[in-house]
Amino acid sequence: MLEFDGLHKSFGDVRVLEGVGFTVAPGSMFGFCGSNGAGKTTTMRIAMGLVRADAGEVRWNGRPLDQASRRRVGYMPEERGLYPKMKVGEQVAYFARLHGLGAAAAATAADEWLERLGLGARRGDAVEKLSLGNQQRVQLAAALVSRPEVLILDEPFSGLDPIGVDSLAEALLGQARAGVPVVFSSHQLDLVERLCDSVGILARGRMVATGTVDELRHRESGRLLRVVVPDADAPWASSVPGVRVVSERAGDTVLELADGADDQAVLAAALRTGRVTHFAWQQPSLVELFREAVAAPAPAEVAA
Amino acid sequence: MTAPAPHEPSSASLVRLVAAREVATRIRDKGFIISSVVILLVIVAAVVIQVVTGSGDEESRVGLVGGDGSLVTALEAQGEALDVDVEVVELDDEAAARTAVDDEDVDGALLAGADPELLVRESAGGTLEAIVQGAVGQLAVAEQLTEAGLTGLDVPEVAVTALDADAAADEQRVVAAIFGVVILYSLLILFGQFIAQGVVEEKSSRVVELLLATMRPWQLLAGKILGLGVLALGQIVAIGVVAVVAALAFDIVEVPGDLISTVAIVIAWFVLGYAWYAAVFAVAASLVSRQEDLATVLMPTSMVLIVAFFIGIQAASDPGGLLATVTSLVPGLSPLVMPVRQAAGEVAPWEIALAVVLMVLAIGLVVRLGGRIYSGALLRTGGKIKMREALAADRA
């Protein structure tokens, strides 16, 4: 288990993290979402020992990550970092050696990964001569070359074209299938929804939602009901007990039902206005969940 | 994959990895290769120029039969007064002297004794005669005064020979030391720049974040300084060897031992100076994120280096002066001043020891304090970071 537990961090007066915690099981992929400046990068940097947490810790297999165990973590920083003038092959091998591989093993592993990521022919070129997408692959190779036990990737998909996204996704799924817990942050929520076993949404320094996409959806869909009653000309739903009108526009109504509120009573009320063309629990996309979670002024009500 | 499982690398092996990368990158860098070659060429050129301009001085080989050490020194001193390099060749007897003159092995041969005689091939030439006449005359006067009981008056002999001879050797050592200080200064600036650029490159390319995920800042700093240090040391040793060999080959030094010891002193001070300046440059560079901002942040240290350089040059003419004495003890300045004073022979052993101790302490301080600034500043990008902030942010 990779556990992020109660992380607190302030930079001066700015409180960036206020108790961030989530767990990633081996072999599962965790999508880390949150608006810009929410604290995703800080969280990952704490895990990598680049930032010191004011409180809380990150554990791998029950033991806090330290300098030695971090060497078993593959890391891709948000700001891509490679030596621009160093050759691709040497560079990847260098990072392998920094992670503890011997010279020969490092060279072999570097070649293997570059080949696998389709960069075999470019291994003798300086990194700066590569396209951005290819540089990104080299970055991934640098993160994977030491056969890490854990992967922590900050915005690995940003700047990639759809084909690059697919091949990176494939590589990450392969790692997860091999039993590596993968944490990555991304703004591409459709991607997160597609790839990740579980998702965490970070807002204002707290995890406002964690769980599988289905769980989150369920939690939301348990409460939001969309009813379209084109003939209604007056507020019709607010009289039903336990119902709050979230929005109403030309008969297209979104209702929030409190626990125990009767959806059939809502349907009866709707039928009293005339035709009912739509009556369904909302199936929010991750984007909507995200918007909801991030926009909510009182995060407690959606916090897991 | 069949690769063996990774092991936890030790601090030493991480430092070695970083150092090896620095060396490997640098020796393939055209700029570095060119600058190294240029420096060596400049040294050889300087020696050649020394020979060419020095050949304006007359040279004279004088054979000497009989006479004692005082006559040899008197001849040399006389030559110096007349700006002629006099080399005295001791010969066994008159026959040997005649052969030597005939073979043009010597320009003239002096048969010392009560009636001194100068053998020459054709004519003595004005200066040779003057040198010999002057030397013999001087000695004769001294002798006669002694015989007349005026023993107290043999001062001129002692004073002239001893002081002049020493000064010549000192001067040569000082010239070598000035040369050394120029090289030392150039290499410190050059390698200081290399270090600083390397630090900023890692920051601006953000690769430092990846590096620091696997090692501590001090390991990175130590690796960089050591790696480039090995190159710098190799370079200054190469320069020293080339300079000594060239100087001996072109015969522009009289006492090779002096030259070699001066070169050794310069190299030793280079090691101390390099350690200090490299650390300071690296730490200063860590405060900025772009190569364009580097000049500003390196300015104060560069100024110290330049001031030290000029004091070092100045110390050559006044090695015992207050300025030279004080600055030769001040860490940061001492590497460029002390070698000159040592070469001039105007320094007590305790002063050298004190300067070394102070310098080593200063290096320790820079590495400790600088290391904290370095690690605090490495992950902060954008703008110039204040030293205080970096210290506060040390691994925050």
Side-chain angles (χ1 to χ4, degrees), chain A residues 40-244:
Chain A
K40 300 185 299 285
T41 295
T42 304
T43 304
M44 293 185 165
R45 284 183 163 187
I46 287 174
M48 294 316 295
L50 300 168
V51 173
R52 197 186 286 144
D54 297 337
E57 61 183 14
V58 181
R59 288 184 297 271
W60 166 235
N61 288 337
R63 296 204 1 248
L65 276 179
D66 57 14
Q67 191 77 13
S69 50
R70 276 189 199 108
R71 223 174 286 289
R72 308 302 316 125
V73 179
Y75 175 55
M76 194 192 263
E78 179 187 21
E79 306 270 9
R80 305 289 175 253
L82 294 168
Y83 287 105
K85 296 189 193 309
M86 203 171 170
K87 287 178 181 163
V88 170
E90 287 173 18
Q91 181 135 233
V92 175
Y94 179 60
F95 283 111
R97 295 209 64 190
L98 290 182
H99 281 91
L101 265 64
T108 318
D111 282 354
E112 225 170 86
W113 270 105
L114 290 173
E115 204 64 57
R116 201 187 287 196
L117 294 172
L119 289 168
R122 309 301 300 272
R123 105 180 30 136
D125 291 345
V127 167
E128 62 186 356
K129 296 210 173 106
L130 268 56
S131 68
L132 238 76
N134 278 341
Q135 291 190 19
Q136 191 105 322
R137 287 187 210 194
V138 177
Q139 195 84 54
L140 180 69
L144 293 178
V145 70
S146 57
R147 289 196 295 152
E149 294 168 9
V150 175
L151 276 178
I152 296 180
L153 313 168
D154 203 351
E155 299 283 351
F157 292 99
S158 78
L160 286 183
D161 63 20
I163 295 171
V165 168
D166 285 347
S167 68
L168 177 55
E170 199 43 57
L172 294 188
L173 283 171
Q175 291 292 307
R177 273 196 291 272
V180 174
V182 181
V183 181
F184 73 90
S185 64
S186 181
H187 289 300
Q188 282 149 286
L189 298 173
D190 53 328
L191 204 61
V192 173
E193 196 167 355
R194 185 158 60 106
L195 292 175
C196 291
D197 305 292
S198 52
V199 179
I201 299 174
L202 184 67
R204 295 169 302 276
R206 293 171 201 273
M207 298 303 292
V208 292
T210 42
T212 65
V213 176
D214 275 347
E215 276 169 15
L216 295 188
R217 199 174 267 155
H218 228 76
R219 205 146 41 222
E220 292 298 305
S221 66
R223 290 205 298 272
L224 285 183
L225 191 62
R226 181 167 170 239
V227 185
V228 180
V229 280
D231 303 334
D233 49 3
W236 57 273
S238 45
S239 57
V240 184
V243 170
R244 187 176 71 85

Side-chain angles (χ1 to χ4, degrees), chain B residues 311-334:
Chain B
I311 296 176
I313 298 295
Q314 191 271 343
S317 56
D318 188 13
L322 182 65
L323 180 68
T325 308
V326 172
T327 52
S328 68
L329 298 176
V330 176
L333 302 180
S334 52

Side-chain angles (χ1 to χ4, degrees), chain B residues 13-82:
Chain B
S13 66
L14 284 172
V15 169
R16 220 170 23 240
L17 274 174
V18 175
R21 199 201 79 86
E22 291 295 331
V23 173
T25 313
R26 213 36 94 169
I27 54 174
R28 279 184 281 177
D29 177 27
K30 283 200 191 73
F32 175 74
I33 297 168
I34 291 171
S35 73
S36 310
V37 172
V38 165
I39 289 179
L40 285 181
L41 288 179
V42 166
I43 301 296
V44 175
V47 171
V48 170
I49 288 169
Q50 185 86 9
V51 172
V52 172
T53 56
S55 69
D57 287 349
E58 258 186 87
E59 277 181 57
S60 200
R61 280 166 69 84
V62 181
L64 179 62
V65 181
D68 51 16
S70 61
L71 189 51
V72 175
T73 37
L75 281 169
E76 282 172 354
Q78 202 64 32
E80 190 157 311
L82 294 169

